[in-house]
Amino acid sequence: MTSFPSAPLLLRGLIVWAAGIFITAAPLPAAAELDFFPRLQTSLPKSFPDNAHGGLSVTELTPPPELPLTIDLTLHQTDLWDRLRNGFAMTNLNDDLVLHYQQWYMNRPEALRRMIERSRPYLHHIVEALEERGMPSELALLPMVESSFNPMAHSPAAASGLWQFIPATGKRFNLEQNWWQDERRDVLASTTAALDYLQTIYDMHGDWHLALASYNWGEGAVKRAIEKNEARGLPTDYPNLTMPKETRHYVPKLQALKNIIGNPQTFAHLNLPFIPNRAYLATVAAAKPMDVKTAARLANMTQDEFRHLNPSHNRPIIKPNTPVVLPADRVDTFKENLASHGSALTQWQAYAVKSAERLGEIASRFGISTNDLAQANGLPGNVRLAAGSKLLVPGSGDNPESLQRLLHSDASPAIIQPEPKARGKKQLRSKTGKTKNTAQGSRTPSKGKPSARSGKTEKPAAKSPAKASKKRR
C-alpha cells in the first residue's frame, strides 16, 4: 500500500519551493551593486564596456588563499605561474583600493599582456631568488608596480631600473654607478639589491605591508608614522597609518595583480601569456674589453635584444671580466664565436684632447656624427672640451694600451670648458692718464635712448673720465 506524506509536511515543502523561485527571480537591490569609493569615481566610469569592445564587466575576485608555511618545492612544475602562486605568503589586503586597481588592470588586458611579456626574461630568475631566501613569491610582481618591467625606466625622482632605485639607496646596497655602468639597471645585480633591501625593512617592521610602504616612502618616514600612531593610541598597521597618496595606493596595486594572477580562471579569461618554468638567463664574461655591438653579434642577437638584457652599460664598450647576461640557450653560441673571433673585440680607442676644441671638430675628424660621439661619451652636445680631456672615438682597436688606461677611470674623463664670455667694454688708461673706450662699435648712447645690448635707457657718459673711472672702482 502506498503512503503519502502528511499535509503539514507537504505544505512546508511547497513554501520552501516557492521561496526559492522568488529569490532566484528577484533582481538584486541597488545596494548590492558595486559602489566604488567616492574618491575613485572620478577615475573610473560608471559602467565598463562590454566584451565586444574589449572590456570586461566588473568582477570581484576572491584573494588567493593563505598557504601553509611549508611548501614542497621539489615538485616539478612546467608553468611558472603555478610555481609563483604556490609561493604566495603575504597577508591579503581587501579594500576599495584593491578593487579599484583590480578592475583597472582587468579592463586593460592588452596592457597587462604587454607588461607580462616584458617580464618573461626576468621572472624566473626573480622567483628563484625569492625561494632561495624564503621570501613571499608575490614580491616578484613588484617590478610591475615599480617599472612595468621596463629595465630602462627612469623616474623624475632619478629612480632607475626594474626596481626603481634612487642613486643613494643604490649605493647603500652596492650598486655601482659610474661613467661606464649603472647597476641600478642591471637585472641581476638590482634584483639582489632589491631583495636585500626588502628583507632589511621587513626585519625592521616584522610586516610585509609596512616593508613595502618603506620601500616606496622610506623606512624613516614609515617609522615616524608608526610612532605618531603609537603616541595617540592608534593601530600601527598599514591601513591605519597616515601616508602619502602614492604609498597608500602602492600595496593595493600589488594585491590587485596578485588577485588576478592568483586566480587561474581569471588568468585564462584575460588570455595572459604562459611562461615556462625554466631558467631563461645565464651569464658569461670576456677577459678583454668588448663592444656592445660585438657582444650582440657573437650571441647571434640584435643590439636591441642584447641591450634589453644588458641595459646597465652607459658606454659602447663593456669592461673586461664584466658579466654579460644572455639567454641560456645562447651561451654556447657566444663562447664558440668568441673563441673563433680573430679580429679585435672593440672598434673604439682613446683620444686625448691637446688643446681646447669643440666636440663637433673631433667628430668630423673621426668620421662620426656629433650626436653619436656625444652619446658615446655621455656629453650633452657640441660642447667645448678643455685640453687634457679624454674621449672614446672610433678606431681600429690596434692601440689597446691607451684604452686600458681609460678603462681604469670610473669618472668622466672629459673636461667641459666654459664658453668664453662675450667681449664687453674695456677701459685702457693712456699715457696721458685718460681712459679710452676700446670696445668695437660702443658709442655712447644719447640721453634717453635705449641701448642696443640691454634694451634699457642709459645715462649719458660722465663729463670727467677720471670721475667715471673712480665710480667704477
Side-chain angles (χ1 to χ4, degrees), residues 247-259:
T247 309
R248 173 64 62 207
H249 290 228
Y250 190 69
V251 176
K253 289 180 183 178
L254 182 64
Q255 181 70 54
L257 289 164
K258 175 184 175 180
N259 289 352

Side-chain angles (χ1 to χ4, degrees), residues 161-238:
L162 286 181
W163 298 92
Q164 289 291 283
F165 275 98
I166 61 172
T169 310
K171 290 178 182 177
R172 176 181 165 192
F173 287 91
N174 304 314
L175 295 177
E176 289 287 336
Q177 300 162 64
N178 55 48
W179 191 65
W180 292 98
Q181 191 176 20
D182 187 344
E183 286 190 328
R184 294 179 299 158
R185 299 194 304 268
D186 184 287
V187 174
L188 305 186
S190 67
T191 296
T192 298
L195 301 193
D196 286 346
Y197 186 27
L198 286 165
Q199 186 65 58
T200 298
I201 47 187
Y202 173 76
D203 293 341
M204 178 187 297
H205 298 300
D207 180 278
W208 280 113
H209 291 165
L210 295 178
L212 289 167
S214 297
Y215 192 91
N216 177 259
W217 190 21
E219 59 264 42
V222 172
K223 184 173 181 292
R224 289 189 293 272
I226 291 172
E227 290 170 348
K228 286 181 181 179
N229 275 24
E230 286 176 339
R232 298 169 184 169
L234 299 174
T236 58
D237 56 346
Y238 175 86

Side-chain angles (χ1 to χ4, degrees), residues 452-471:
R453 288 183 181 270
S454 66
K456 296 180 181 178
T457 302
E458 296 185 3
K459 296 181 180 179
K463 294 181 180 179
S464 169
K467 289 182 179 179
S469 172
K470 185 175 182 181
K471 286 180 181 178

Side-chain angles (χ1 to χ4, degrees), residues 204-345:
M204 178 187 297
H205 298 300
D207 180 278
W208 280 113
H209 291 165
L210 295 178
L212 289 167
S214 297
Y215 192 91
N216 177 259
W217 190 21
E219 59 264 42
V222 172
K223 184 173 181 292
R224 289 189 293 272
I226 291 172
E227 290 170 348
K228 286 181 181 179
N229 275 24
E230 286 176 339
R232 298 169 184 169
L234 299 174
T236 58
D237 56 346
Y238 175 86
N240 287 286
L241 293 184
T242 301
M243 59 183 67
K245 179 180 178 181
E246 179 185 335
T247 309
R248 173 64 62 207
H249 290 228
Y250 190 69
V251 176
K253 289 180 183 178
L254 182 64
Q255 181 70 54
L257 289 164
K258 175 184 175 180
N259 289 352
I260 293 169
I261 291 171
N263 188 312
Q265 291 76 27
T266 303
F267 191 95
H269 181 66
L270 294 173
N271 195 26
L272 299 181
F274 166 81
I275 298 181
N277 181 27
R278 62 171 181 263
Y280 185 91
L281 301 178
T283 59
V284 64
K288 296 180 180 180
M290 177 172 50
D291 289 351
V292 169
K293 181 172 61 176
T294 303
R297 189 170 64 251
L298 294 177
N300 287 346
M301 299 170 67
T302 67
Q303 289 189 55
D304 286 343
E305 289 171 338
F306 183 85
R307 287 189 179 279
H308 195 67
L309 297 183
N310 298 272
S312 67
H313 300 293
N314 296 328
R315 308 278 76 82
I317 300 178
I318 301 171
K319 295 178 73 172
N321 302 311
T322 299
V324 172
V325 181
L326 299 174
D329 59 1
R330 300 293 180 91
V331 170
D332 290 341
T333 300
F334 180 89
K335 289 180 177 178
E336 290 170 4
N337 289 337
L338 178 62
S340 61
H341 190 76
S343 57
L345 292 172

